[in-house]
Amino acid sequence: MGTVAILGAGVMGETLLSGLIRSGRRVDELVVTARRPDRADQLAEQYGVRAMSNVEAAEVADTLVLVVKPQDMGGLVEEIRDHVSPGNLVVSLAAGIPTAYLESRLPAGVAVVRVMPNTPALVDEGMAAVSPGRSADPAHLEEAAELLRSCGRVVQVAEKHQDAVTAISGSGPAYIFYVVEAMIEAGVVLGLPRPTATELVVQTLFGAATMMRETGQHPTVLREQVTSPGGTTAAALRQLDDHKVRAAFITAMEAAATRSHELASGND
């Protein structure tokens, strides 16, 4: 994979950097840039990597990982475009930026891969979806996927599905936190101390997710195993159905996908 430059080492950029180092990547093959020079210097000192300007990083790197906010992408590409060669791989982690946007602004033939990560990458449990641009071949796609595997799991999707990915896994942690908040509040309402309610909910969530991953069983089967006829779980689930919680979740994710599409359309 050669030298990897992470351009825009904020929270997600640092997450990727630390994941790559933990996975065995040599620090002399890693370069970071940041909007603030002191931030880049701090990362260089902490991780033993090289800190450079965006232009310097583009000149020395084989793979450029763009981890800036969508509104900053245009300026970054304009800055580095004359220093990127057709042999480079450009991996974009910016939400709502299509590969065509980057391809039209970079030299012809530069391979571009679009990635939608999510925040559990911070604890090496991220879920990322990768989509190739027109010039990206299977080897480029595998290089991008290998980068993201350093802090979680990776799937490949057609770029037309990235809006759905954004709605499901990109925004998904927020939905889970929202449900967890509600369950903790319910525990408090029912008389439990907040720390106790929090521990009960968080471990229940972790255990349920682990069961789904390790058993491979459909969630409907697992739910039915918990739901005794006429029991407490059945009573609770009836209330959720009466309040159309399932439909609300589907509608919410459709809204997220629609918004993702709107943002991407503005960056064509």
Side-chain angles (χ1 to χ4, degrees):
M1 197 178 296
T3 300
V4 176
I6 299 174
L7 280 66
V11 174
M12 187 58 71
E14 183 178 0
T15 296
L16 180 58
L17 172 64
S18 62
L20 288 170
I21 292 173
R22 287 193 302 276
S23 68
R25 174 74 54 173
R26 289 168 40 187
V27 295
D28 62 354
E29 296 177 337
L30 297 171
V31 173
V32 295
T33 78
R35 182 190 294 271
R36 302 192 332 268
D38 60 319
R39 167 65 175 170
D41 291 340
Q42 178 251 318
L43 292 172
E45 181 177 352
Q46 181 176 349
Y47 294 101
V49 299
R50 289 175 287 170
M52 296 183 176
S53 69
N54 290 328
V55 168
E56 291 170 333
E59 289 177 341
V60 304
D62 300 290
T63 300
L64 292 82
V65 186
L66 312 184
V67 202
V68 296
K69 295 178 180 178
Q71 61 267 31
D72 296 330
M73 184 62 80
L76 174 62
V77 173
E78 180 67 25
E79 182 181 1
I80 67 173
R81 63 181 303 169
D82 293 335
H83 307 275
V84 178
S85 67
N88 290 136
L89 168 62
V90 174
V91 180
S92 170
L93 273 66
I97 301 292
T99 57
Y101 175 95
L102 296 171
E103 289 167 340
S104 67
R105 290 162 174 79
L106 292 169
V110 171
V112 177
V113 174
R114 176 179 173 182
V115 178
M116 170 49 63
N118 69 5
T119 56
L122 290 164
V123 292
D124 290 343
E125 290 292 348
M127 184 70 253
V130 297
S131 301
R134 289 176 299 178
S135 299
D137 60 25
H140 293 128
L141 199 62
E142 178 56 28
E143 285 184 33
E146 189 62 26
L147 287 172
L148 276 299
R149 288 192 192 105
S150 67
C151 48
R153 297 194 175 200
V154 181
V155 296
Q156 178 186 346
V157 300
E159 188 166 11
K160 66 181 180 180
H161 295 314
Q162 280 285 3
D163 294 327
V165 170
T166 300
I168 301 300
S169 61
S171 299
Y175 316 148
I176 304 301
F177 299 144
Y178 184 88
V179 171
V180 167
E181 284 181 297
M183 292 177 69
I184 291 171
E185 288 305 312
V188 173
V189 169
L190 292 169
L192 290 170
R194 187 173 294 276
T196 301
T198 300
E199 183 173 3
L200 287 168
V201 173
V202 172
Q203 181 57 33
T204 299
L205 174 69
F206 181 80
T210 303
M211 282 183 68
M212 284 190 287
R213 174 179 285 183
E214 294 190 358
T215 66
Q217 290 187 304
H218 194 280
T220 300
V221 173
L222 296 173
R223 175 177 57 78
E224 289 176 346
Q225 290 174 357
V226 186
T227 311
S228 302
T232 58
T233 306
L237 291 174
R238 178 180 176 181
Q239 288 297 316
L240 293 176
D241 286 341
D242 286 349
H243 287 81
K244 297 181 172 55
V245 172
R246 185 189 301 262
F249 266 99
I250 294 172
T251 301
M253 293 183 200
E254 287 176 335
T258 298
R259 183 57 180 153
S260 175
H261 179 71
E262 292 171 351
L263 292 172
S265 297
N267 288 301
D268 285 339

